[in-house]
């Protein structure tokens, strides 16, 4: 895929934060097709309000939000809406962001980039301190769930250039982390994290 | 069921906190059979480490922990083990604790008891401040999940006197809330929250 002008890059294994006004949107593009993007959303006015998977599941009545669904905060309000999703729509709300503990258990003896640290670094970069690491919306992360409740670790079902558009229902800060997981094939069979791209979209007319 | 001597009561709609040393256990009894108990566990030495549903699901590879499973913290360590479970084992890790926002959306115009406030009150009662309201382990809460990811609100499958025994893997604080939900039948068709009972068990010989 040729990267279009005006797009911003989230380098492989890194995170970025973006401020949006209510009505603006972000387009997040899975440039190479199999990159998971851990995503958090905080209310700009009070960052102790944020997208909360456990509150969202209660409101939506399903494990995975899809096109047209609102993303719900820990105060049970819509903070964004999934306006577009060109992928098969398999995202995840069940699994914690990866962290140093995860990589230690996988056998790492030295520092490994991870989504939890990426969240905190991206927030610090805009002068904020995340109140906690909420359970993320893991875009394109494929965690199949069987009726007996067992879960698997699938490869993303997305293809190069798939994107989502998330439109802000209130002023908010979106943090995105291109997941650095390269020890299990959650970012595709090649276990090679890649960069992704995003851009801010104006208020819809 | 006749309440046995030595048992402590969690009154209907209320919460309680209990400190355990490593090796001790708590038996939590669904006295009347259809009461959901929202449960949290914090590391006594550092309460910023706590049972985390999103980390536990990643470790266990399933939505619901069962007999023999460890309860896992946000540092991906075992904090307790489910040593016994006489119920059909349908518990929940998907749904947030109820809170004032939930009851407002259900139409309440005055204060309604809720599990989130019960957590904070129970912690204050032992001189602690919960660092946040983690997504709880909802004992006996029946949230069926279909393969397409849709979730339901079931009635508990437990019967009067069913119990779980949770054994501490480290010094920890267990907080239990007898869920005050009386507007949807999550605590049984009668929508009548009841008291439950618990007791501390010594280190196993």
């Amino acid at each position: 895929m040729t990267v279009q002008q005006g797009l911003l890059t989230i380098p492989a294994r890194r995170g970025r934060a973006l401020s949006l006004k209510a009505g603006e949107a972000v387009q997040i593009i899975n440039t190479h097709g199999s990159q998971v993007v851990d995503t958090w959303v905080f209310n700009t006015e009070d960052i102790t309000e944020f997208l909360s998977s456990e509150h969202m599941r209660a409101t939506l009545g399903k494990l995975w939000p899809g096109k047209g669904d609102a993303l719900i905060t820990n105060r049970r309000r819509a903070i964004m809406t999934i306006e577009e999703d060109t992928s098969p729509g398999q995202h995840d709300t069940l699994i914690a962001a990866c962290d140093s503990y995860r990589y230690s258990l996988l056998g790492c003896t030295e520092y490994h980039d991870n989504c939890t640290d990426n969240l905190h670094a991206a927030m610090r970069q805009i002068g904020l301190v995340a109140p906690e690491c909420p359970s993320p919306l893991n875009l394109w992360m494929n965690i199949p769930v069987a009726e007996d409740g067992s879960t698997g670790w699938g490869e993303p079902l997305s293809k190069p250039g798939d994107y989502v558009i998330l439109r802000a229902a209130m002023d908010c800060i979106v943090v995105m982390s291109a997941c650095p997981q390269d020890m299990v094939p959650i970012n595709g069979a090649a276990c090679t994290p890649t960069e992704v791209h995003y851009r801010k979209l104006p208020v819809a007319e």
Side-chain angles (χ1 to χ4, degrees), chain A residues 178-202:
Chain A
C179 177
Q181 177 58 269
D182 53 8
M183 302 180 74
V184 300
I186 203 71
N187 290 310
C191 286
T192 305
T194 62
E195 80 277 16
V196 297
H197 294 85
Y198 68 103
R199 62 175 162 189
K200 189 189 284 198
L201 301 177

Side-chain angles (χ1 to χ4, degrees), chain A residues 49-203:
Chain A
E49 180 174 13
F50 46 76
L51 169 59
S52 168
S53 289
E54 58 264 32
H55 294 83
M56 181 165 64
R57 287 187 294 260
T59 298
L60 298 184
K62 53 183 173 179
L63 300 183
W64 311 293
K67 181 175 172 176
D69 285 330
L71 306 183
I72 304 294
T73 72
N74 54 343
R75 294 181 200 161
R76 302 185 193 260
R77 304 197 297 170
I79 193 164
M80 305 194 86
T81 299
I82 302 183
E83 183 173 284
E84 185 55 82
D85 183 358
T86 67
S87 77
Q90 188 77 27
H91 308 296
D92 170 66
T93 71
L94 298 171
I95 302 296
C98 60
D99 50 33
S100 57
Y101 309 103
R102 170 77 163 137
Y103 292 105
S104 290
L105 289 171
L106 286 170
C108 280
T109 53
E110 302 197 338
Y111 182 77
H112 193 290
D113 297 316
N114 63 80
C115 288
T116 300
D117 287 355
N118 283 349
L119 163 67
H120 292 295
M123 287 291 271
R124 281 195 300 270
Q125 200 167 19
I126 58 169
L128 296 173
V129 176
E132 60 183 84
C133 179
S135 191
L137 170 61
N138 297 307
L139 293 172
W140 301 295
M141 186 162 166
N142 178 14
I143 302 292
V145 176
E147 214 157 346
D148 69 355
S150 63
T151 57
W153 300 91
E155 297 174 22
L157 304 178
S158 41
K159 59 186 185 305
D162 269 340
Y163 63 86
V164 296
I165 295 176
L166 307 179
R167 192 162 298 276
M170 62 178 80
D171 294 359
C172 63
I173 297 152
V174 182
V175 182
M176 303 154 283
S177 169
C179 177
Q181 177 58 269
D182 53 8
M183 302 180 74
V184 300
I186 203 71
N187 290 310
C191 286
T192 305
T194 62
E195 80 277 16
V196 297
H197 294 85
Y198 68 103
R199 62 175 162 189
K200 189 189 284 198
L201 301 177
V203 175

